[in-house]
């Protein structure tokens, strides 16, 4: 599979130097049973890296950005069994691509209130309207960067983790049997569009 994969190494890492080794298999037992209509090239096609996260961290962020400027953000937080402080929230800031952190370039900033779902998981969600967005298309891929940050528990103004998400404002729909991007009809040419 060419999809990204994550592995938890916490129990495998020891103090001092550790070695991360991978084995790449060219063919599996089922290779001849599936995907006979295209070529598969073996190898590692994504970056490989190890990183550490705080005990309370942002587990997942889902962003939906529409051509009318509506920006929706849903997040899931790992709380490690600790209660979130009262009024806990995620802070979101949207910047034009390449201008992250420049307060003068910031397009919009808003907070997502967090609420406990279980003892181990909290959720946060919200939306805002962004005026005058530059739309994304394959020909003109206008992108923004959404910075989602989680504050340290009990420390006002401090950040324990911040994630960046690339955002393109667009609307993809099928209307009257036609595929449309931002209201314009698309024609996809070719076969085996995997």
């Amino acid at each position: 599979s060419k999809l990204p994969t994550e592995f938890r190494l916490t129990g495998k890492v020891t103090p001092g130097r550790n070695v991360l080794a991978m084995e790449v298999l060219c063919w599996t037992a089922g290779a001849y049973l599936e995907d006979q209509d295209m070529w598969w090239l073996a190898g590692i096609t994504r970056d490989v890296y190890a990183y550490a996260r705080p005990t309370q961290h942002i587990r997942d962020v889902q962003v939906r950005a529409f051509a009318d400027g509506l920006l929706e953000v849903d997040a899931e937080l790992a709380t490690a069994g600790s209660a979130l402080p009262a009024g806990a929230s995620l802070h979101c800031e949207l910047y034009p691509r390449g201008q992250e952190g420049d307060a003068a370039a910031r397009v919009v900033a808003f907070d997502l209130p967090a609420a406990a779902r279980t003892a181990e998981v909290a959720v946060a969600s919200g939306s805002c309207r962004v005026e005058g967005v530059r739309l994304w298309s394959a020909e003109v891929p206008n992108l923004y960067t959404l910075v989602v940050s989680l504050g340290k528990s009990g420390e006002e103004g401090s950040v324990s983790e911040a994630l960046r998400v690339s955002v393109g404002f667009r609307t993809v729909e099928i209307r009257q049997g036609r595929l449309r991007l931002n209201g314009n009809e698309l024609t996809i040419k070719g076969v085996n569009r995997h």
Side-chain angles (χ1 to χ4, degrees):
S1 174
K2 298 293 183 181
L3 297 175
T5 304
E6 293 184 6
F7 300 95
R8 182 179 297 275
L9 302 175
T10 305
K12 311 288 187 222
V13 178
T14 60
R17 184 178 174 161
N18 292 272
V19 175
L20 176 62
M22 297 186 317
E23 181 178 5
V24 178
L25 303 175
C26 187
W27 307 108
T28 67
Y32 295 101
L33 301 175
E34 59 183 36
D35 297 325
Q36 293 184 19
D37 61 341
M38 60 185 283
W39 291 96
W40 280 108
L41 303 176
I44 300 171
T45 58
R46 295 180 182 266
D47 292 340
V48 176
Y49 52 91
Y51 60 94
R53 313 259 327 251
T55 305
Q56 287 190 347
H57 62 272
I58 303 168
R59 183 187 304 184
D60 189 28
V61 175
Q62 182 179 23
V63 179
R64 292 173 302 282
F66 301 95
D68 63 358
L70 179 62
L71 178 65
E72 298 177 343
V73 181
D74 295 316
E76 190 173 276
L77 311 171
T79 61
S82 301
L84 291 173
S89 65
L90 291 179
H91 184 67
C92 299
E93 295 180 341
L94 185 69
Y95 296 93
R97 185 69 172 252
Q99 299 180 27
E100 299 86 354
D102 180 0
R106 184 173 55 216
V107 177
V108 68
F110 58 98
D111 290 321
L112 305 176
R117 184 191 310 160
T118 66
E120 298 289 324
V121 176
V123 293
S125 64
S127 64
C128 74
R129 181 82 51 187
V130 181
E131 299 297 326
V133 295
R134 296 184 324 254
L135 299 180
W136 180 95
S137 70
E139 295 77 21
V140 184
N142 290 313
L143 286 176
Y144 293 82
T145 300
L146 181 69
V147 179
V148 182
S149 56
L150 175 64
K152 287 185 180 176
S153 184
E155 297 181 31
E156 186 67 31
S158 62
V159 174
S160 69
E161 181 179 44
L163 301 179
R164 294 175 183 223
V165 180
S166 293
V167 177
F169 285 86
R170 66 181 181 196
T171 298
V172 179
E173 61 186 341
I174 296 177
R175 191 179 332 143
Q176 297 177 340
R178 304 284 188 191
L179 177 63
R180 297 178 182 270
L181 172 67
N182 301 332
N184 300 318
E185 188 174 321
L186 290 178
T187 301
I188 300 176
K189 297 180 181 180
V191 295
N192 289 340
R193 304 297 290 192
H194 291 273

